[in-house]
Amino acid sequence: MSKRMDGRADSNGRVYQASGDQHIVEHHHHNEMGSVAWEGIESVRHPTGGRAPVVLRDRTELMERLQAAVAPEAGNQVYVLHGMGGCGKTAVARTLFQYATTDGNRVGLWVNAADRTSLRSGMLAVAADMGATEGELIAARNGLRAPADLVWDRLGSSARPWLLVLDNADDPEILQDGGWLRVSPRGTVLVTTRRAAARWWLHAELHHVGVLPREAAAQVLCDLAPESGTMEEAAEIADRLGRLPLALTLAGGFLSHQVIDPWTMTRYGHHLGGHGHVDFIDQGAIALAREDARHLITRTWQLSLDALAGRGMQESTALLRLLACYGADPLPITLLNTPQINGVVPQARAEVALRGLLDQSLTAVVDVGVRCLQTHAVLLASVAASTPREQVTELTGTAALLLAAHVPAIPQRGPQDPRMRLLAPHVIALLRNSTEASVVAETLDVAVRLTCALHRTGDYLSAWELASAAVAGAEPELGREHRLVLSAHSRTGRALFRLGRFEESEAVLRSVLADREKLFGPDDPDTLDSYFGINPPLQELGRVAEGIALLRRAMDGRERVLGRQHPLTLQAQAHLLECLPIAELVLEVDNAEMPLPQECALHLGPQHAVTLGARLSYAVALFRLGRFDAAVLDARLVAEDYQRRHGPDYALTLSAQHLSARARAALGDMDSAVELMVVVAHRREQSLGAEHPYTVQSYELLEEYRAQAAAHLTD
């Protein structure tokens, strides 16, 4: 074949290119997950916004309007609940959700819309719930088709009417940027947000959710702690708490859990004035006409912590302050079950401390496929603002260590630990909450590793967003020239490449390369990694010779610095086999003292990932040299090994089978080539999507082989 075929790769990919009559079209994805079942972790059929209210007080008129919105045949409308944090927007949404899924006979779908990653992950889980295929979902995650289009196509074809709740949408830009907020005649959308500006919610019906009327607020306290006092006493407490539902919930949780020495509401009221106000920003919220209730949250949780301390659970205070270092998204509970927590709370006491917080309604357990804690954002902000300054460094440092303990130092290929994606918003929150350079650096190191883990599972959009956000959070503190900042930029560039933004990828990676050369020198491992990593976008942009030159520099430098037998040196040498000019390739293959796969097996072991990759690269080299019988044998054997290790949908399994089919076709065995290419094309469509270039290429070759097979029959 003489026509040009597009090749794409990144630091873990391969590109085979040549001109003239060479048969050089193949694509591989190294160090990435193949086709796997959808790993959606969100329990989209259940609300994740904390506990439901015992009884939803007041809100009668609002609930009547919203219940009408989920009546039979109702749909094609967006409703927005707006108000300051803690005013009960999520409680209203939960109540409607329960009504819609029972009395309304609707499918209920709940998505956390607090940040881009959570929103996309949740919405794709909605698509999966609505019947999207595995291939469609993976293509959307990889950025190969518009994720929002897939979600809304599935929602629009739902057999049952639905209610979709987008909770905590306090950054409306992310809904607009991705085209996530739409309408459908099959369902109703309910949004909760602090942002009330009409420009964000065109054509939506807006409803303000404010504080409760006096009587309803008093009743909330009586619902939660019915033995603590009269309605009038409850009303006085409610007034002092600004009648803010979150503050009332915290106060009621406190009163209901005093067992040895129960408190009355009167006694509680006497203690409310003993704690100072803490002013924190509730951005985008509408201020209250009377005393700003944002100042009042501190009073409630501080009394709860004092009571816990009086019962011998002083560690609950430290644990809550530790949680305040993170974000309001679900936080995997296992994070707290590691020795690194000893810097703040003795690990043996973490369980007791957490039970105290749960008893006082200061946090809640939610199940999103992984058991997590979720704490109200307003409460976290209040706790963080009141934390003594001398404790901040120790708290944020411990928070960073806990994250570091849960993110692998060297992320591996294969199915992702579902906790990884859940950690991303907390890494970014910790970067925002940290001011000590050492803590920022530790957290950025976690972010870089986590980005790599997401990338290697094919979640390129999340990897790009995490890397970009990490750079934005850390660079002001550490500076552009910090080694970890440059690593985060590099991860951004590699994710951009996988998203098909080749020019942007090359620009970012070239800038990183220039900085690394200047700061660290040409033989630094990070600089060598840049030589290696920039080759793929250069190949894609047609700058083949430049890419090969930098790849050679990577291999030579790694050999000098790391040694001839180091996995990274051997990996770079294998990649060179895939793009060297034919004349050089002949010398490289025929003059070697030992074939590269054997050398890798000798030094790394026969099942090492680099050994398997070298075997596939060597098979490609044989194919390029026209040694088709040997190429068929090597490609078949390595395909079998990949399938045993990673399954039939694994990207390298398919790449090896693809190569085997091409070699069989070159030998004239068109029936075998067609049979094998049918499998490859179908599995690539399922794992990559119908529009992925590798899928398109496989189907083009399939049609070519079928035509040749038919021509042979007519001859």
Side-chain angles (χ1 to χ4, degrees):
M1 295 177 64
S2 60
K3 66 179 181 178
R4 178 185 182 276
M5 299 296 291
D6 292 333
R8 307 178 184 217
D10 69 357
S11 61
N12 302 318
R14 306 163 181 261
V15 180
Y16 309 138
Q17 296 184 346
S19 57
D21 295 330
Q22 300 300 324
H23 299 266
I24 323 283
V25 185
E26 180 56 276
H27 308 267
H28 300 301
H29 299 265
H30 288 280
N31 293 334
E32 292 184 16
M33 169 179 79
S35 174
V36 296
W38 172 246
E39 294 289 341
I41 57 175
E42 289 75 11
S43 179
V44 293
R45 291 293 184 106
H46 302 280
T48 58
R51 300 175 179 175
V54 177
V55 178
L56 187 67
R57 295 296 176 183
D58 191 48
R59 318 301 191 201
T60 304
E61 183 177 342
L62 174 59
M63 284 306 304
E64 289 176 353
R65 179 69 189 96
L66 294 176
Q67 287 174 2
V70 294
E73 308 304 325
N76 226 29
Q77 182 64 53
V78 175
Y79 298 85
V80 176
L81 305 180
H82 63 89
M84 69 172 295
C87 67
K89 303 182 296 295
T90 297
V92 172
R94 289 185 68 115
T95 303
L96 181 65
F97 189 94
Q98 182 178 7
Y99 173 84
T101 54
T102 53
D103 297 4
N105 195 31
R106 289 193 174 225
V107 174
L109 304 163
W110 189 285
V111 172
N112 177 22
D115 59 77
R116 294 179 190 277
T117 301
S118 298
L119 173 65
R120 184 191 315 106
S121 184
M123 290 294 272
L124 288 178
V126 166
D129 190 272
M130 291 285 102
T133 66
E134 178 185 334
E136 289 174 327
L137 291 163
I138 293 177
R141 287 183 66 197
N142 291 353
L144 301 172
R145 66 173 297 173
D149 289 348
L150 171 64
V151 175
W152 283 97
D153 177 68
R154 290 298 168 177
L155 286 172
S157 60
S158 173
R160 290 178 58 194
W162 42 262
L163 168 68
L164 171 63
V165 176
L166 301 177
D167 194 29
N168 297 319
D170 298 328
D171 187 5
E173 292 94 332
I174 67 174
L175 293 175
Q176 293 192 350
D177 290 347
W180 294 109
L181 187 60
R182 308 183 190 182
V183 296
S184 168
R186 297 300 302 146
T188 297
V189 180
L190 181 67
V191 180
T192 72
T193 181
R194 301 182 194 181
R195 306 285 289 278
R199 69 179 184 278
W200 298 119
W201 314 111
L202 298 177
H203 312 299
E205 187 174 300
L206 274 67
H207 296 274
H208 177 243
V209 181
V211 299
L212 293 170
R214 191 171 193 265
E215 183 177 350
Q219 189 61 60
V220 168
L221 285 174
C222 291
D223 291 337
L224 295 170
E227 306 299 326
S228 299
T230 66
M231 275 288 291
E232 184 54 37
E233 290 170 333
E236 292 179 6
I237 299 298
D239 283 340
R240 297 182 64 181
L241 294 176
R243 305 198 302 276
L244 186 71
L246 175 59
L248 297 169
T249 300
L250 295 175
F254 170 85
L255 289 167
S256 64
H257 286 92
Q258 306 311 304
V259 179
I260 298 176
D261 182 21
W263 282 38
T264 64
M265 291 188 188
T266 300
R267 182 181 177 188
Y268 187 86
H270 288 325
H271 284 77
L272 272 180
H275 296 277
H277 295 182
V278 175
D279 187 10
F280 57 90
I281 297 173
D282 189 6
Q283 215 168 22
I286 297 176
L288 301 177
R290 299 180 60 187
E291 180 181 11
D292 192 338
R294 294 174 293 177
H295 298 279
L296 303 174
I297 296 297
T298 302
R299 301 180 181 184
T300 57
W301 61 256
Q302 187 60 65
L303 284 175
S304 296
L305 293 178
D306 289 346
L308 290 172
R311 290 158 51 191
M313 290 187 281
Q314 296 87 343
E315 298 89 354
S316 292
T317 299
L319 181 57
L320 184 59
R321 287 172 174 166
L322 179 64
L323 294 178
C325 296
Y326 299 124
D329 297 85
L331 179 74
I333 293 178
T334 54
L335 201 75
L336 307 179
N337 190 29
T338 54
Q340 287 79 4
I341 201 173
N342 284 322
V344 172
V345 178
Q347 186 180 5
R349 295 286 294 172
E351 175 78 20
V352 174
L354 178 56
R355 288 192 177 277
L357 297 181
L358 292 170
D359 285 345
Q360 298 290 327
S361 301
L362 294 170
T363 191
V365 175
V366 297
D367 192 338
V368 294
V370 173
R371 290 181 70 244
C372 293
L373 295 176
Q374 190 161 26
T375 313
H376 199 289
V378 175
L379 175 59
L380 291 175
S382 174
V383 173
S386 68
T387 298
R389 299 180 104 186
E390 63 272 15
Q391 296 182 19
V392 170
T393 298
E394 183 178 39
L395 287 164
T396 54
T398 300
L401 290 175
L402 293 176
L403 290 170
H406 282 73
V407 179
I410 303 176
Q412 300 297 313
R413 292 171 290 181
Q416 177 183 312
D417 182 338
R419 294 174 298 177
M420 291 299 102
R421 193 176 290 108
L422 288 170
L423 295 179
H426 300 291
V427 171
I428 300 306
L430 184 55
L431 282 172
R432 286 197 304 264
N433 294 332
S434 302
T435 56
E436 183 71 29
S438 61
V439 176
V440 173
E442 176 71 25
T443 307
L444 181 58
D445 179 65
V446 175
V448 170
R449 286 154 45 196
L450 184 54
T451 298
C452 185
L454 293 171
H455 187 110
R456 289 181 178 177
T457 63
D459 193 353
Y460 308 122
L461 285 170
S462 294
W464 169 64
E465 288 175 351
L466 175 58
S468 301
V471 165
E475 190 169 320
E477 180 66 36
L478 301 178
R480 160 75 190 193
E481 296 183 344
H482 193 281
R483 186 180 289 273
L484 285 169
V485 172
L486 291 173
S487 294
H489 277 294
S490 179
R491 297 309 318 178
T492 300
R494 294 183 179 188
L496 284 169
F497 178 83
R498 281 299 182 187
L499 292 172
R501 296 158 63 175
F502 307 121
E503 292 83 0
E504 294 175 73
S505 171
E506 189 270 340
V508 171
L509 293 174
R510 184 171 295 280
S511 176
V512 172
L513 172 57
D515 286 340
R516 282 174 166 174
E517 278 186 321
K518 178 184 70 174
L519 295 167
F520 313 136
D523 284 341
D524 183 86
D526 284 355
T527 307
L528 297 174
D529 182 67
S530 282
Y531 293 145
F532 183 89
I534 199 173
N535 174 58
L538 288 174
Q539 297 285 346
E540 182 61 37
L541 295 171
R543 290 144 67 178
V544 177
E546 183 183 2
I548 291 175
L550 290 171
L551 187 55
R552 281 189 183 280
R553 196 178 299 179
M555 187 190 75
D556 294 342
R558 285 174 172 177
E559 184 171 352
R560 285 194 307 274
V561 175
L562 303 174
R564 164 70 188 177
Q565 289 80 38
H566 193 278
L568 293 178
T569 306
L570 296 171
Q571 180 193 44
Q573 186 177 0
H575 278 233
L576 271 173
L577 292 178
E578 303 163 6
C579 54
L580 282 174
I582 295 301
E584 295 182 43
L585 181 62
V586 171
L587 297 175
E588 184 74 23
V589 171
D590 291 344
N591 294 346
E593 295 181 5
M594 180 186 298
L596 184 60
Q598 293 182 27
E599 185 177 358
C600 292
L602 177 64
H603 298 293
L604 306 178
Q607 293 303 309
H608 193 281
V610 171
T611 302
L612 292 178
R615 288 172 57 195
L616 183 53
S617 295
Y618 197 77
V620 172
L622 295 173
F623 177 80
R624 295 181 64 199
L625 294 172
R627 303 171 189 179
F628 302 125
D629 288 304
V632 166
L633 176 61
D634 285 6
R636 177 178 61 80
L637 291 175
V638 75
E640 291 172 355
D641 282 349
Y642 273 127
Q643 182 160 337
R644 275 193 295 271
R645 284 186 64 172
H646 300 293
D649 290 320
Y650 185 60
L652 292 181
T653 303
L654 298 176
S655 292
Q657 291 175 335
H658 190 281
L659 176 63
S660 181
R662 290 184 57 76
R664 291 173 187 274
L667 290 170
D669 186 359
M670 303 312 300
D671 290 340
S672 295
V674 167
E675 181 180 358
L676 194 51
M677 194 59 75
V678 166
V679 174
V680 172
H682 174 71
R683 290 195 179 279
R684 279 184 165 171
E685 183 175 12
Q686 289 300 306
S687 62
L688 299 176
E691 298 177 0
H692 193 287
Y694 308 160
T695 303
V696 172
Q697 180 200 64
S698 297
Y699 275 112
E700 288 176 349
L701 285 173
L702 175 59
E703 292 306 310
E704 180 182 325
Y705 296 162
R706 281 174 170 166
Q708 292 182 30
H712 290 164
L713 288 176
T714 58
D715 290 344

